[in-house]
Amino acid sequence: MNDTMVTVVGNVATNVEYRESASGGVARFRIAVTPRRWERQSGSWTDGHTSFYTVFAWRTLAANLAGSVSVGEPLLVHGRLKVREEERDGKRRTFVDIEAVAVGHDLTRGTSAFRRVVKAEPNLTERPQGVQTPTPVS
Protein backbone atom coordinates (compact mmCIF):
# COMPACT_ATOMS: atom_id res chain seq x y z
CA MET A 1 0.00 0.00 0.00
CA ASN A 2 1.33 3.46 -0.88
CA ASP A 3 0.56 5.42 2.26
CA THR A 4 1.96 8.88 2.85
CA MET A 5 3.84 8.69 6.15
CA VAL A 6 4.47 11.91 8.07
CA THR A 7 6.08 12.96 11.33
CA VAL A 8 4.83 16.15 12.94
CA VAL A 9 6.15 17.96 16.01
CA GLY A 10 3.72 20.16 17.90
CA ASN A 11 1.60 20.66 21.00
CA VAL A 12 -1.51 18.80 22.10
CA ALA A 13 -4.43 21.17 21.43
CA THR A 14 -7.38 19.17 22.82
CA ASN A 15 -7.97 16.51 25.45
CA VAL A 16 -7.57 12.94 24.27
CA GLU A 17 -11.02 11.45 23.69
CA TYR A 18 -10.94 7.70 24.27
CA ARG A 19 -13.74 5.22 23.61
CA GLU A 20 -14.17 1.52 23.08
CA SER A 21 -15.26 0.32 19.65
CA ALA A 22 -15.99 -3.07 18.11
CA SER A 23 -12.36 -3.34 16.91
CA GLY A 24 -10.81 -2.15 20.20
CA GLY A 25 -10.13 1.24 21.74
CA VAL A 26 -9.87 4.41 19.66
CA ALA A 27 -8.37 7.73 20.73
CA ARG A 28 -8.72 11.12 19.05
CA PHE A 29 -7.05 14.46 19.72
CA ARG A 30 -5.86 17.56 17.86
CA ILE A 31 -2.25 18.64 17.56
CA ALA A 32 -1.14 22.18 16.73
CA VAL A 33 2.01 22.56 14.62
CA THR A 34 3.60 26.01 14.31
CA PRO A 35 6.77 26.49 12.25
CA ARG A 36 9.38 28.92 13.63
CA ARG A 37 11.81 30.85 11.48
CA TRP A 38 14.85 32.92 12.29
CA GLU A 39 14.51 36.47 10.96
CA ARG A 40 17.99 37.79 10.16
CA GLN A 41 16.85 41.38 9.85
CA SER A 42 15.21 41.55 13.29
CA GLY A 43 17.54 39.01 14.92
CA SER A 44 14.65 37.07 16.45
CA TRP A 45 12.42 34.04 15.95
CA THR A 46 8.96 34.47 14.43
CA ASP A 47 6.08 32.02 14.37
CA GLY A 48 4.45 30.98 11.11
CA HIS A 49 0.84 29.95 10.53
CA THR A 50 -0.39 27.22 12.90
CA SER A 51 -1.75 24.04 11.30
CA PHE A 52 -4.08 21.72 13.21
CA TYR A 53 -4.26 17.98 12.59
CA THR A 54 -6.69 15.44 14.02
CA VAL A 55 -4.80 12.41 15.29
CA PHE A 56 -6.47 9.00 15.54
CA ALA A 57 -4.93 5.99 17.30
CA TRP A 58 -6.21 2.46 17.77
CA ARG A 59 -6.00 -0.37 20.32
CA THR A 60 -3.02 -0.28 22.72
CA LEU A 61 -1.66 3.03 21.40
CA ALA A 62 -5.08 4.60 21.97
CA ALA A 63 -5.28 3.41 25.58
CA ASN A 64 -1.71 4.51 26.31
CA LEU A 65 -2.38 7.96 24.81
CA ALA A 66 -5.43 8.41 27.01
CA GLY A 67 -3.34 7.71 30.11
CA SER A 68 -0.23 9.65 29.10
CA VAL A 69 -1.05 12.84 27.17
CA SER A 70 -2.48 16.19 28.32
CA VAL A 71 -3.30 19.48 26.60
CA GLY A 72 -0.25 21.66 25.99
CA GLU A 73 2.34 18.88 26.04
CA PRO A 74 4.88 18.75 23.21
CA LEU A 75 4.59 15.60 21.09
CA LEU A 76 5.99 13.88 18.03
CA VAL A 77 3.37 12.01 16.01
CA HIS A 78 4.32 9.58 13.25
CA GLY A 79 1.64 8.05 11.06
CA ARG A 80 -0.38 7.88 7.86
CA LEU A 81 -1.58 11.18 6.40
CA LYS A 82 -5.25 11.15 5.43
CA VAL A 83 -6.89 14.07 3.59
CA ARG A 84 -10.66 14.08 3.28
CA GLU A 85 -13.20 16.50 1.92
CA GLU A 86 -16.73 16.99 3.21
CA GLU A 87 -19.58 19.25 2.28
CA ARG A 88 -21.25 21.05 5.20
CA ASP A 89 -23.88 23.74 4.84
CA GLY A 90 -23.21 23.91 1.11
CA LYS A 91 -19.49 24.58 1.63
CA ARG A 92 -16.70 22.19 0.79
CA ARG A 93 -14.22 21.69 3.65
CA THR A 94 -10.90 19.87 3.74
CA PHE A 95 -9.75 17.95 6.81
CA VAL A 96 -6.28 16.58 7.41
CA ASP A 97 -5.98 13.59 9.75
CA ILE A 98 -3.08 11.45 10.92
CA GLU A 99 -3.61 7.78 11.74
CA ALA A 100 -0.88 7.41 14.36
CA VAL A 101 1.61 4.57 14.29
CA ALA A 102 3.83 5.99 17.06
CA VAL A 103 3.55 8.94 19.45
CA GLY A 104 6.06 10.27 21.95
CA HIS A 105 6.86 13.29 24.06
CA ASP A 106 9.30 15.81 22.53
CA LEU A 107 12.29 15.39 24.83
CA THR A 108 14.00 18.53 23.49
CA ARG A 109 11.45 20.45 25.58
CA GLY A 110 11.22 18.37 28.76
CA THR A 111 11.67 14.99 30.40
CA SER A 112 9.47 11.93 30.46
CA ALA A 113 9.41 8.65 32.38
CA PHE A 114 8.53 5.49 30.46
CA ARG A 115 6.43 2.80 32.14
CA ARG A 116 5.95 -0.48 30.31
CA VAL A 117 2.37 -1.76 30.18
CA VAL A 118 1.96 -5.20 31.68
CA LYS A 119 -0.28 -7.31 29.49
CA ALA A 120 -2.90 -9.28 31.37
CA GLU A 121 -2.87 -13.04 31.16
CA PRO A 122 -5.86 -14.58 29.42
CA ASN A 123 -8.63 -15.52 31.83
CA LEU A 124 -9.74 -19.13 31.73
CA THR A 125 -13.13 -19.62 33.30
CA GLU A 126 -13.00 -23.40 33.22
CA ARG A 127 -10.96 -26.13 31.66
CA PRO A 128 -12.53 -28.32 28.98
CA GLN A 129 -13.37 -31.81 30.24
CA GLY A 130 -10.57 -34.29 29.93
CA VAL A 131 -7.82 -31.63 30.05
CA GLN A 132 -5.74 -31.71 33.20
CA THR A 133 -3.73 -28.87 34.68
CA PRO A 134 -0.01 -29.55 34.11
CA THR A 135 2.00 -30.08 37.28
CA PRO A 136 5.24 -28.14 37.68
CA VAL A 137 8.46 -30.14 37.45
CA SER A 138 10.72 -29.73 40.51
Side-chain angles (χ1 to χ4, degrees), residues 62-131:
N64 291 344
L65 275 168
S68 303
V69 172
S70 299
V71 173
E73 292 181 348
L75 291 184
L76 286 86
V77 175
H78 179 72
R80 293 173 193 85
L81 185 68
K82 307 281 184 178
V83 178
R84 59 190 168 87
E85 291 186 11
E86 291 181 10
E87 191 168 322
R88 291 186 185 175
D89 302 324
K91 293 184 181 178
R92 207 136 174 85
R93 298 188 64 195
T94 302
F95 298 91
V96 182
D97 303 332
I98 300 172
E99 187 178 312
V101 172
V103 178
H105 285 105
D106 182 356
L107 298 181
T108 62
R109 298 179 24 212
T111 63
S112 184
F114 180 78
R115 290 183 305 276
R116 186 172 302 280
V117 175
V118 178
K119 293 185 180 182
E121 292 184 20
N123 293 329
L124 294 176
T125 54
E126 68 181 40
R127 294 212 173 263
Q129 287 195 345
V131 177

Side-chain angles (χ1 to χ4, degrees), residues 22-69:
S23 61
V26 61
R28 176 188 179 276
F29 69 95
R30 303 265 292 157
I31 188 167
V33 178
T34 306
R36 299 196 81 207
R37 290 181 176 72
W38 178 255
E39 294 281 338
R40 287 186 194 179
Q41 295 172 345
S42 66
S44 63
W45 289 95
T46 58
D47 290 339
H49 176 74
T50 301
S51 297
F52 290 88
Y53 302 93
T54 302
V55 178
F56 290 93
W58 302 91
R59 295 174 283 290
T60 304
L61 178 55
N64 291 344
L65 275 168
S68 303
V69 172

